[in-house]
């Protein structure tokens, strides 16, 4: 599956990862898979992905992203304004990213701020 998403460089870039995750989340049992993916971020089971959680995952992936950039990601994804990404926020983002779930050009889920 990863080889199918890679564009022959041997390294998967962000667009290829989005394509792979979107395709995977479009398969059966996607709700269960989304919950499992959410738990990879929310390791202390508080029900939210916080800035701290996102920073940990980004560092584990070897990416260099500032706290300001991570904070912006959280604010953009936080549809219910609870200062973190809830499971429902996370599911909305993943469903939006899945190629089969939206027509081309569909904007991301609204941020109700």
């Amino acid at each position: 599956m990863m080889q199918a998403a890679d564009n022959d460089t041997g390294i998967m870039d962000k667009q290829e990862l989005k394509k792979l995750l979107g395709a995977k989340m479009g398969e059966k049992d996607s709700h269960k898979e989304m919950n499992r993916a959410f738990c990879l971020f929310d390791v202390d089971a508080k029900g939210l992905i916080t800035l701290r959680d996102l920073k940990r995952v980004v560092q584990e992936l070897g990416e260099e992203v500032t706290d300001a950039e991570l904070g912006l990601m959280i604010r953009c994804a936080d549809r219910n304004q609870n200062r973190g990404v809830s499971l429902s926020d996370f599911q909305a983002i993943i469903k939006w990213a899945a190629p089969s779930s939206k027509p081309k050009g569909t904007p991301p889920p609204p941020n109700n701020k």
Side-chain angles (χ1 to χ4, degrees):
M1 181 186 325
M2 290 184 66
Q3 288 174 334
D6 179 31
N7 289 334
D8 299 325
T9 62
I11 299 171
M12 188 173 295
D13 65 24
K14 291 177 186 177
Q15 289 299 323
E16 292 167 344
L17 179 61
K18 182 179 173 181
K19 179 181 170 184
L20 177 66
L21 287 175
K24 182 67 179 163
M25 291 300 139
E27 295 177 4
K28 265 187 165 177
D29 300 322
S30 63
H31 187 73
K32 182 178 177 182
E33 292 297 321
M34 282 189 273
N35 290 347
R36 288 177 55 197
F38 181 83
C39 290
L40 294 174
F41 288 87
D42 182 24
V43 293
D44 56 357
K46 65 191 160 307
L48 286 176
I49 298 171
T50 63
L51 178 71
R52 182 176 170 201
D53 297 324
L54 187 56
K55 185 174 186 173
R56 177 187 48 79
V57 171
V58 165
Q59 288 174 339
E60 287 174 4
L61 294 172
E63 296 292 328
E64 292 189 28
V65 182
T66 67
D67 284 356
E69 291 170 319
L70 294 172
L72 180 60
M73 289 178 199
I74 295 286
R75 286 190 305 279
C76 288
D78 182 13
R79 297 179 312 146
N80 52 10
Q81 300 180 339
N82 56 1
R83 297 181 175 242
V85 179
S86 66
L87 179 58
S88 64
D89 295 334
F90 185 79
Q91 290 170 337
I93 292 166
I94 297 298
K95 287 177 183 176
W96 172 80
S100 62
S101 68
K102 65 184 182 332
K104 256 195 178 331
T106 303
N111 186 346
N112 299 325
K113 289 190 177 185

